[in-house]
Amino acid sequence: RMTIKNRAVMAPMQVLYGEIDGHPGPRIIHYYEERARGGVGLIIVEATAVDEVNNTPWEHQLRLTRDCFIADFEQLTEAIHKYDCRVFVQLHHYGAKSAPTAAGAPWSVSDIPAMPGGKPPHRMTEEEIKTVEDRFVAAAVRAKKAGFDGVELAGAHGYLLAQFLSPYYNDRTDCYGGTPENRCRIYTEIIEGIHGACGRDFPVCVRFPGDEFTPQIPKTLTIADCPEIARIFEGAGADALSVSNGNNFNASANCEPYYYEPGWKKHVAKAVKDAVSIPVIATNTIKDPEFAEQMLGEGVCDFVALGRALIADAM
């Protein structure tokens, strides 16, 4: 039910301009306002923590963990809305990649370290999974109260949700492990929880890895997995899908070096778009407007996501 004035989306990118306690101050509000003034149709605000108890946010990372943050986020959304720009916020949990917390080891799907040789995280119980799901939903409620038009789940790049999705990390034998439906369950329960708390007209976008591009590492995801995963998210009520790539072992598939060829991974986004009927957002190393139009014309995606191009030049 939401209309966006064009098909250009600002991808969520960590600039860490938040205040030390996680609320948005003048610096980050000005940063996003300048991007909205430049004409982009939708801004997805960078990864914002939903948990500060069993997850250690980055220093200066935005947080939607407490109601006291709502008023400051409202100033952010008002600044962006002045330019007829829609705004989502990406809800984020670091999972096994988090530093230890005051409560102990960071929570994850299993006790497999984020990287080989790292310290084992805490394998979450089913009750703890429900706790984290509730924190995502509570953050979405705060986002709606603050004036955000929707939310995106940070389900890629080796973060907590991606750890559930990945057969490499997810060795569970309960209802959150094994089959694709089970590995997607934490996503689908969060989607359903947000729609239940915020209403069906409050959009939920899911960012997930279409291909991790690590065929040398057993049990990592490939393009063959993405159509089924995309259909599971659509069936659970996701309103849009944002296709990313890579994992903890291959960040260059997500934030690639400048010399990578534009569109080198467009076949992944196209595989997702062909599998679902909901809108698909995709980054494809887009460096100029003509190539963005080409991606739309080829039917690779419904919305083009721009990253460093918008950091370099908000217009």
Side-chain angles (χ1 to χ4, degrees):
R1 297 181 181 87
M2 189 181 75
T3 301
I4 300 172
K5 67 181 180 181
N6 58 46
R7 295 177 184 267
V9 176
M10 180 177 178
M13 296 169 288
Q14 292 298 122
V15 292
L16 300 177
Y17 285 172
E19 302 303 304
I20 193 67
D21 66 350
H23 77 267
R27 186 186 190 195
I28 200 165
I29 291 172
H30 175 72
Y31 167 79
Y32 280 111
E33 183 175 2
E34 285 298 295
R35 272 76 203 159
R37 191 200 310 272
V40 68
L42 169 66
I43 289 174
I44 303 178
V45 170
E46 63 198 73
T48 298
V50 303
D51 183 358
E52 58 185 10
V53 178
N54 303 104
N55 169 73
T56 301
W58 299 307
E59 193 169 276
H60 295 282
Q61 183 182 11
L62 296 175
R63 306 182 193 185
L64 271 168
T65 51
R66 288 172 272 162
D67 289 348
C68 62
F69 293 120
I70 293 173
D72 290 323
F73 274 101
E74 190 172 15
Q75 294 181 45
L76 173 61
T77 60
E78 288 175 351
I80 293 171
H81 283 150
K82 285 191 299 185
Y83 302 96
D84 189 29
C85 179
R86 300 290 189 175
V87 57
F88 288 10
V89 61
Q90 190 185 69
L91 305 181
H92 173 265
H93 194 297
Y94 217 21
K97 296 174 73 172
S98 171
T101 72
W107 286 5
S108 183
V109 62
S110 68
D111 56 5
I112 298 172
M115 292 294 287
K119 292 183 178 180
H122 168 70
R123 180 189 292 266
M124 298 165 67
T125 66
E126 290 190 32
E127 182 179 1
E128 289 166 343
I129 293 171
K130 297 296 184 185
T131 296
V132 167
E133 291 176 353
D134 289 345
R135 289 171 180 163
F136 271 93
V137 174
V141 170
R142 295 183 187 106
K144 184 177 182 181
K145 289 179 178 178
F148 283 98
D149 298 295
V151 295
E152 179 178 273
L153 304 184
H157 311 158
Y159 300 135
L160 178 67
L161 300 185
Q163 291 158 22
F164 275 83
L165 185 62
S166 169
Y168 176 89
Y169 293 106
N170 189 339
D171 61 1
R172 301 178 74 97
T173 57
D174 60 10
C175 65
Y176 291 94
T179 66
E181 290 81 3
N182 284 354
R183 290 185 282 110
C184 289
R185 190 177 303 278
I186 190 170
Y187 294 80
T188 60
E189 290 181 344
I190 291 170
I191 294 167
E192 292 163 358
I194 292 172
H195 282 319
C198 297
R200 191 61 188 84
D201 59 348
F202 186 70
V204 179
C205 178
V206 178
R207 197 171 208 203
F208 75 103
D211 191 327
E212 295 187 301
F213 288 101
T214 47
Q216 74 279 13
I217 300 176
K219 299 183 179 180
T220 55
L221 298 170
T222 73
I223 190 173
D225 300 298
C226 73
E228 182 177 9
I229 292 169
R231 286 190 289 266
I232 291 171
F233 294 150
E234 181 180 34
D239 299 284
L241 299 176
S242 178
V243 183
S244 190
N245 294 280
N247 55 22
N248 293 330
F249 302 95
N250 187 10
S252 290
N254 163 50
C255 190
E256 50 267 82
Y258 187 80
Y259 60 81
Y260 273 43
E261 180 181 357
W264 70 274
K265 55 189 178 184
K266 66 181 182 180
H267 61 290
V268 182
K270 187 66 164 63
V272 175
K273 181 166 168 53
D274 289 345
V276 297
S277 59
I278 56 177
V280 172
I281 305 168
T283 59
N284 269 300
T285 323
I286 295 169
K287 299 185 176 80
D288 60 70
E290 290 76 16
F291 188 74
E293 290 285 5
Q294 179 183 330
M295 292 297 93
L296 295 172
E298 291 181 7
V300 170
C301 51
D302 300 289
F303 292 86
V304 290
L306 306 171
R308 288 166 285 186
L310 287 176
I311 292 178
D313 183 0
M315 304 300 288

